[in-house]
C-alpha cells in the first residue's frame, strides 16, 4: 500500500453536519466530473461521482451514503475496514444512485471489520435501494439505513457488484432491526450481481425486499439467521448459491434456515407475489450443535421454483424440516426438480403445495480428513467457482 502522503488528493471537500455526534458525518463532494477519495476515513454522503482506490487503507467509521444521481466506483483489490462495535456503520446506495464495485477473481473487493478479533455483527453491511416493484408500495422506507425504495421500473440499474466479499456483518439495532450482509431493496434487473460472498453474518446473508435483480454465484458461510432470504414480491433468479454453517459457528437466531422465502406477511395475495427461481443450490450444515430450522421455508404467498438443489447435513448435524410450506400467515408453494438430500435433513412440512420429489443420496458432499469438502459434479451448487474467495470448512470432529 502506498502511504497516504504520497497520493494525489483530487478535489475532496468535507463539511461537517449534524448526526449522532458532531463529527459522525460529513459530505464527500469530489467535485464536478468526479474525483478520487484518498482520505482514509469514509463517512457521510457522496453527492457526486467518486472513486475509491485499492492503494488506500480505508476505514468506514460511520454511515456512508451514495446519494441519488451519484456513482461510487470501487477499484479491484480495495479493502474497506468497518469500525467495529457500532450500529451506524454501513454503506448505503440510494434509489437513483449507483455502486460500481467490480473486483476480479485475483483482486476481490473486501468489506471487513477493523477488530483485532472480528466476529459476526461487528458492523452493518451493504444496503442498496432501487426503483423496481415491491408489494409494499412505491415509496417504502427500508428497515435499516432509512432509504426509500420501490417503484415501477423493474429494469432499474443500481450498478454492479462482482467479486465482492462482505464479512462480520449484521449489527443489531434493536430486537426487530438487524443488518444483513447485503440487502437489496427494490433493486432492478439492470443491476449486475455475480460472485459475491458473505461470511460470518449476524442476521441474514443476502436478502431481497421486492425487486427483480438476478444473482449468479453467491456464497454464504456462517450466517446466524437465514442464508438466502426474500420477501415483498421478489421475482429474480439466484443461480449457483452455496450456503454452509460450519462446526463451531454457534451464533444463531431462534430459527436459522438455509432459505426463507416470503411474499407479504400482511396479505399473501398482495401483488406482485414473490416468484423467484433458484437454480443449482446447496444448503449444508456441518454444525451438530445448531440445527437449521428448515432447508427451505417457502411461505406467506411465495410461489417459488427450485431446480437442482442439495440439502445436506454431515455427521450428527441436522435440519428440523427439509422443506416447509406451512405458515399461519399464509402458505407457500414450491416446484422442485432434481432435488436431493443427504444426511439428517428432516422431513417436509406441507402447507402449500410441494410439487416434485426429493431423492436420498449419500455422495452429494464428501469430507476428507483435512477438512476438505468436495461436491459431486452436477449436484447442487458448483463449489469450484468460489475458489477465488479461499473458503475453508470446519467439519465435525
Amino acid at each position: 500500500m502506498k502511504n497516504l502522503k504520497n497520493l494525489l488528493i483530487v478535489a475532496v471537500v468535507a463539511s461537517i453536519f449534524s448526526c449522532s455526534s458532531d463529527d459522525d458525518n460529513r459530505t464527500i463532494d469530489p467535485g464536478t466530473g468526479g474525483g478520487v477519495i484518498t482520505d482514509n476515513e469514509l463517512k457521510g454522503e457522496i453527492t457526486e461521482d467518486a472513486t475509491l482506490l485499492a492503494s488506500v487503507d480505508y476505514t468506514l467509521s460511520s454511515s456512508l451514503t451514495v446519494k441519488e444521481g451519484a456513482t461510487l466506483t470501487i477499484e479491484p483489490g480495495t479493502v474497506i475496514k468497518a469500525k467495529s462495535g457500532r450500529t451506524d456503520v454501513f454503506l448505503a446506495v440510494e434509489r437513483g444512485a449507483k455502486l460500481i464495485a467490480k473486483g476480479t477473481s485475483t483482486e476481490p473487493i473486501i468489506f471487513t471489520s477493523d477488530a483485532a478479533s472480528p466476529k459476526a455483527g461487528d458492523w452493518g453491511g451493504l444496503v442498496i435501494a432501487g426503483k423496481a416493484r415491491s408489494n409494499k408500495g412505491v415509496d417504502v422506507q427500508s428497515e435499516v439505513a432509512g432509504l426509500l425504495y420501490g417503484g415501477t421500473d423493474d429494469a432499474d440499474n443500481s450498478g454492479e457488484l462482482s467479486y465482492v466479499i462482505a464479512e462480520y456483518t449484521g449489527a443489531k439495532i434493536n430486537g426487530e432491526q438487524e443488518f444483513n450482509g447485503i440487502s437489496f431493496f427494490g433493486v432492478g434487473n439492470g443491476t449486475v450481481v455475480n460472485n459475491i460472498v458473505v461470511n460470518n453474518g449476524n442476521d441474514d446473508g443476502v436478502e431481497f425486499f421486492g425487486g427483480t435483480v438476478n444473482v449468479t454465484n453467491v456464497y454464504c458461510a456462517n450466517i446466524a439467521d437465514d442464508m438466502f432470504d426474500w420477501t415483498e414480491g421478489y421475482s429474480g433468479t439466484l443461480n449457483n448459491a452455496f450456503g454452509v454453517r460450519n462446526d463451531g459457528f454457534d451464533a444463531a437466531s431462534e430459527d436459522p434456515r438455509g432459505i426463507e422465502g416470503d411474499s407479504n406477511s400482511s396479505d399473501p395475495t398482495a401483488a406482485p407475489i414473490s416468484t423467484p427461481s433458484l437454480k443449482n443450490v446447496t444448503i449444508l450444515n456441518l454444525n451438530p450443535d445448531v440445527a437449521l430450522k428448515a432447508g427451505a421455508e417457502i411461505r406467506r404467498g411465495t410461489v417459488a421454483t427450485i431446480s437442482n438443489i442439495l440439502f445436506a447435513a454431515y455427521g450428527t448435524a441436522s435440519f428440523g424440516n427439509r422443506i416447509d410450506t406451512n405458515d399461519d400467515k399464509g402458505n407457500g408453494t414450491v416446484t422442485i426438480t432434481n432435488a436431493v438430500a443427504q444426511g439428517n435433513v428432516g422431513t417436509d412440512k406441507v402447507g402449500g403445495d410441494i410439487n416434485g420429489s426429493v431423492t436420498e443420496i449419500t455422495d452429494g458432499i464428501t469430507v476428507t480428513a483435512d477438512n476438505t469438502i468436495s461436491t459431486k459434479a452436477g449436484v447442487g451448487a458448483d463449489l469450484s467457482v468460489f475458489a477465488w474467495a479461499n473458503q475453508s470448512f470446519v467439519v465435525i470432529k
Side-chain angles (χ1 to χ4, degrees):
M1 298 288 183
K2 295 181 179 179
N3 191 286
L4 178 62
K5 67 182 181 181
N6 294 324
L7 296 173
L8 177 63
I9 299 177
V10 182
V12 178
V13 180
S15 63
I16 305 299
F17 67 94
S18 176
C19 191
S20 58
S21 68
D22 290 341
D23 61 354
D24 269 353
N25 283 312
R26 60 184 174 177
T27 298
I28 299 175
D29 185 358
T32 303
V36 177
I37 298 174
T38 54
D39 189 347
N40 296 70
E41 188 178 10
L42 299 175
K43 59 182 179 179
E45 297 178 344
I46 293 178
T47 59
E48 298 188 32
D49 294 353
T51 299
L52 301 183
L53 302 177
S55 56
V56 177
D57 295 323
Y58 292 107
T59 296
L60 182 63
S61 62
S62 187
S63 61
L64 178 67
T65 302
V66 186
K67 302 294 287 182
E68 181 179 4
T71 297
L72 174 63
T73 300
I74 304 177
E75 283 191 342
T78 301
V79 177
I80 298 171
K81 293 183 178 180
K83 188 174 181 61
S84 62
R86 292 175 56 168
T87 61
D88 63 342
V89 179
F90 56 88
L91 173 61
V93 181
E94 285 190 346
R95 187 171 58 178
K98 289 184 180 180
L99 173 64
I100 306 295
K102 190 174 180 180
T104 68
S105 60
T106 56
E107 294 182 298
I109 294 166
I110 300 174
F111 294 86
T112 189
S113 167
D114 73 345
S117 299
K119 62 183 184 303
D122 270 354
W123 65 290
L126 309 185
V127 184
I128 303 173
K131 302 176 183 178
R133 289 182 297 162
S134 161
N135 59 35
K136 290 288 189 178
V138 297
D139 288 304
V140 192
Q141 187 173 55
S142 61
E143 65 179 24
V144 293
L147 304 183
L148 291 179
Y149 68 97
T152 59
D153 185 4
D154 285 347
D156 187 39
N157 182 354
S158 295
E160 178 170 353
L161 293 179
S162 297
Y163 292 100
V164 171
I165 298 173
E167 53 190 14
Y168 308 111
T169 59
K172 186 172 184 176
I173 300 172
N174 56 43
E176 297 295 327
Q177 294 176 297
E178 290 177 286
F179 284 91
N180 304 306
I182 306 177
S183 299
F184 298 92
F185 288 92
V187 175
N189 58 28
T191 309
V192 175
V193 183
N194 59 66
N195 297 294
I196 60 174
V197 170
V198 178
N199 289 324
N200 297 295
N202 204 43
D203 194 38
D204 298 329
V206 293
E207 183 165 5
F208 305 88
F209 298 82
T212 56
V213 64
N214 303 311
V215 178
T216 300
N217 299 337
V218 50
Y219 187 105
C220 291
N222 295 341
I223 305 300
D225 197 24
D226 308 314
M227 299 168 182
F228 310 104
D229 196 343
W230 67 79
T231 187
E232 297 183 11
Y234 173 63
S235 62
T237 296
L238 299 184
N239 188 2
N240 206 56
F242 193 104
V244 59
R245 175 180 285 268
N246 282 300
D247 186 25
F249 182 79
D250 296 335
S253 67
E254 294 180 355
D255 47 13
R257 307 173 180 90
I259 297 167
E260 180 185 273
D262 294 346
S263 190
N264 188 302
S265 60
S266 300
D267 178 6
T269 67
I273 289 172
S274 291
T275 55
S277 296
L278 286 77
K279 304 175 181 178
N280 311 311
V281 181
T282 294
I283 303 298
L284 173 61
N285 191 9
L286 300 172
N287 190 331
D289 298 318
V290 181
L292 296 182
K293 182 175 182 288
E297 189 157 329
I298 308 299
R299 62 185 191 177
R300 299 177 183 177
T302 286
V303 179
T305 302
I306 305 176
S307 61
N308 186 25
I309 185 167
L310 168 63
F311 300 107
Y314 184 78
T316 57
S318 64
F319 297 8
N321 295 111
R322 186 172 58 191
I323 301 173
D324 181 356
T325 59
N326 183 71
D327 190 84
D328 59 7
K329 294 184 179 180
N331 295 331
T333 300
V334 61
T335 298
I336 55 173
T337 55
N338 299 323
V340 295
Q342 178 180 345
N344 181 14
V345 296
T347 58
D348 296 337
K349 184 178 181 181
V350 181
D353 292 338
I354 301 176
N355 303 307
S357 59
V358 181
T359 302
E360 298 289 334
I361 63 173
T362 60
D363 59 349
I365 64 157
T366 303
V367 179
T368 63
D370 62 351
N371 275 1
T372 299
I373 296 283
S374 61
T375 57
K376 186 176 182 179
V379 175
D382 180 359
L383 182 60
S384 68
V385 303
F386 302 106
W388 62 272
N390 298 315
Q391 293 302 309
S392 61
F393 299 92
V394 181
V395 184
I396 304 158
K397 300 295 190 293

